[in-house]
Amino acid sequence: MNLIEELRWRGMVQDIMPGTEEQLLKEMTTAYVGFDPTADSLHIGSLVPILLLVHLQRAGHKPLALVGGATGMVGDPSFKAEERKMLDLDTLAHNQKGIKAQLEKFLDFDPAKPNAAEMVNNFDWFKDISFLDFIRDVGKHITVNYMMSKDSVKRRLEGDSGMSFTEFTYQLIQGYDFFHLYTAKNCKLQMGGSDQWGNIVTGTELVRRKAGGEAFAFTCPLLKKADGSKFGKSENGNVWLDPEKTSPYLFYQFWLKTQDEDAKNYIRIFTFLNKEEIDEMITAHDQAPHLRQLQKRLAQELTIFIHGEKEYEFAVKASEMLFGKDTAEILKSLTEQQLLEVMDGVPQFEFAASDIDAGKDIVSFLAETGILPSKSEARKMVQNNGISINKVKVTGIDAVIDKNQLLNGKYILVQRGSKNYSLVITK
């Protein structure tokens, strides 16, 4: 399969300009994707454009990753309900540095290779262009009628908030990026999400009208979950690629919790597994969906790709500790940082360290921490074998909690039933 055929079966092509597939078959082609530096980390919503660049390079073409230092100062209005917050230069510079470091993990930037990836920043060519020069040399080539015909513009103009002149000109700015890269780096292709189609074709128009050249484009679909909800959000908000913002364990858990229909879609898009292997995995999954083999493989591939083998192994170990059996020893082996990563989002309760040092009966401990509302409720739960401390089942109401049970000298994990966890912190 050629590149476009590969991306089509993976579900990664929506709109494509005539001649694009032929161009990619004809010669090594330079192509770019833009990333707005709205934060100092990309999130999983950026994974699809990242993977487009990776597939492109693997197919022998040259990828450019554009970090929008200039466009980030304006804000892309595409299909957004209101204008985005403006960022100052220091924040933009900080964000660009973080994004660049992440992209360098996924693409080969070895200058010795003819298709080595490159990072570019559109602030480098916009910083010396005056407003008058821009409207004279660029604006005259694109009519207002053409700009207003874009769906992203129409929706904002029809909405309550309207659209500022700053946002209205965004498509010209992005279009000029394509023109500049065409003339400076022989870049003939732009890729992006389907919400970018209007901005991208403005670039191809500028290349045609201003340079007399031919440029190409294709977009990938914007992902949604099978239930129609937005992709990329967890219970805690964005799922980031930065391990400081979303721990590798929580990253792994996000993919592990994927619904069956979504997993069938994501395994094609987010992994490099071939079609035969994926088809076999989906068939096996349909025969025994309760084993969740598809989700486990998806979580494995993505966690290793983003965070590495070591973090994946920890995520698996931590998951087994929470959801497996006979895992008390795994729990004891976790460092404090690892324990807190695993317990992220778990209700926390404080308890006096002096009471633990003296020893506390299990019923009083459960009631006084607030994990259970009363001693009678605590007693009943223990008698029904419903309480575990540090993954060890409590067998009677005469059990005592003492300092020997503290994890990392500070924590106690309480489990009610099979899924309800609480973390007690002694102070």
Side-chain angles (χ1 to χ4, degrees):
M1 286 188 286
N2 65 44
L3 176 61
I4 296 299
E5 290 172 340
E6 171 85 9
L7 295 176
R8 275 201 176 109
W9 83 259
R10 290 185 181 276
M12 298 175 73
V13 176
Q14 178 159 322
D15 302 300
I16 185 166
M17 190 166 285
T20 300
E21 189 169 1
E22 291 76 8
Q23 169 62 35
L24 290 165
L25 290 170
K26 183 172 68 173
E27 60 186 359
M28 184 181 79
T29 300
T30 300
Y32 91 96
V33 170
F35 299 90
D36 274 344
T38 52
D40 59 2
S41 170
L42 298 170
H43 50 74
I44 59 171
S46 304
L47 270 178
V48 174
I50 289 172
L51 289 168
L52 288 178
L53 290 175
V54 175
H55 280 293
L56 181 93
Q57 189 170 41
R58 289 188 174 193
H61 303 288
K62 183 178 177 66
L64 301 179
L66 184 151
V67 180
T71 40
M73 297 175 68
V74 177
D76 182 4
S78 296
F79 300 98
K80 293 180 175 64
E82 57 187 27
E83 190 159 358
R84 196 164 57 191
K85 180 183 177 182
M86 299 289 185
L87 300 177
D88 59 64
L89 288 175
D90 288 341
T91 301
L92 284 167
H94 171 76
N95 292 350
Q96 291 159 31
K97 184 178 179 181
I99 291 172
K100 181 178 180 181
Q102 288 181 339
L103 291 174
E104 286 173 341
K105 292 168 55 179
F106 310 122
L107 298 166
D108 188 348
F109 287 82
D110 182 358
K113 296 181 179 178
N115 69 329
E118 289 184 39
M119 295 286 301
V120 292
N121 181 351
N122 57 14
F123 187 73
D124 292 339
W125 54 85
F126 271 110
K127 67 179 186 294
D128 296 323
I129 300 177
S130 73
F131 176 71
L132 289 176
D133 287 341
F134 187 77
I135 60 174
R136 182 190 64 193
D137 295 338
V138 179
K140 69 178 182 180
H141 292 285
I142 304 294
T143 67
V144 172
N145 300 45
Y146 178 88
M147 296 173 70
M148 291 184 67
S149 68
K150 302 297 169 61
D151 287 341
S152 57
V153 175
K154 283 181 180 178
R155 294 188 186 187
R156 283 292 296 277
L157 292 178
E158 293 168 358
D160 296 333
S161 60
M163 174 180 279
S164 69
F165 177 76
T166 301
E167 286 192 302
F168 183 61
T169 60
Y170 184 93
Q171 63 175 288
L172 285 181
I173 297 172
Q174 184 172 327
Y176 185 80
D177 284 342
F178 202 171
F179 168 79
H180 173 84
L181 293 174
Y182 176 86
T183 55
K185 294 187 175 291
N186 194 33
C187 178
K188 295 182 179 180
L189 172 64
Q190 183 180 174
M191 306 174 293
S194 59
D195 61 333
Q196 293 294 307
W197 181 250
N199 295 334
I200 292 173
V201 297
T202 297
T204 64
E205 278 296 293
L206 271 179
V207 168
R208 183 178 68 83
R209 298 181 186 187
K210 190 169 167 59
E214 186 176 20
F216 303 92
F218 73 85
T219 63
C220 54
L222 295 182
L223 285 182
K224 285 188 176 181
K225 297 180 181 179
D227 62 9
S229 61
K230 188 174 181 179
F231 167 78
K233 297 281 188 180
S234 71
E235 296 170 356
N236 299 319
N238 282 331
V239 180
W240 299 95
L241 305 189
D242 183 344
E244 297 298 319
K245 294 180 182 292
T246 299
S247 73
Y249 168 75
L250 290 178
F251 184 89
Y252 172 82
Q253 284 293 320
F254 173 84
W255 300 103
L256 198 62
K257 294 175 182 176
T258 303
Q259 297 297 314
D260 288 348
E261 286 306 309
D262 289 325
K264 294 176 184 179
N265 186 27
Y266 297 166
I267 199 79
R268 296 186 181 97
I269 294 172
F270 292 109
T271 77
F272 298 99
L273 302 173
N274 63 44
K275 188 175 188 302
E276 291 72 21
E277 186 172 3
I278 288 176
D279 287 345
E280 289 176 5
M281 289 173 59
I282 291 175
T283 299
H285 173 83
D286 287 341
Q287 292 171 351
H290 62 285
L291 297 178
R292 300 184 68 77
Q293 293 300 315
L294 204 56
Q295 286 89 339
K296 290 177 182 177
R297 187 61 182 275
L298 178 68
Q300 174 186 353
E301 294 290 326
L302 266 294
T303 306
I304 291 174
F305 180 63
I306 301 299
H307 296 296
E309 186 84 33
K310 184 178 179 181
E311 295 292 357
Y312 162 71
E313 290 172 357
F314 163 70
V316 173
K317 184 169 83 168
S319 297
E320 290 173 349
M321 185 277 293
L322 279 180
F323 305 110
K325 296 179 179 179
D326 303 323
T327 53
E329 292 306 313
I330 295 177
L331 180 62
K332 291 178 183 178
S333 72
L334 300 182
T335 66
E336 181 175 11
Q337 180 180 349
Q338 290 173 335
L339 176 66
L340 292 176
E341 283 183 11
V342 175
M343 294 296 114
D344 187 79
V346 169
Q348 297 183 358
F349 299 84
E350 293 183 1
F351 198 72
S354 58
D355 284 355
I356 295 294
D357 290 342
K360 197 76 173 179
D361 69 275
I362 184 65
V363 172
S364 298
F365 174 76
L366 293 172
E368 291 175 20
T369 55
I371 292 173
L372 289 170
S374 66
K375 287 187 177 182
S376 62
E377 286 289 326
R379 187 177 295 108
K380 185 185 301 182
M381 183 69 78
V382 173
Q383 289 173 334
N384 289 330
N385 296 317
I387 295 293
S388 295
I389 298 295
N390 297 339
K391 301 298 289 185
V392 176
K393 184 74 69 176
V394 177
T395 56
I397 59 173
D398 56 345
V400 175
I401 306 298
D402 59 35
K403 61 183 180 181
N404 294 321
Q405 292 163 293
L406 293 175
L407 302 169
N408 293 290
K410 188 177 181 180
Y411 306 95
I412 295 173
L413 180 64
V414 180
Q415 182 179 354
R416 292 174 293 129
S418 60
K419 296 181 179 179
N420 295 311
Y421 290 91
S422 302
L423 186 66
V424 176
I425 305 171
T426 60
K427 291 187 176 181

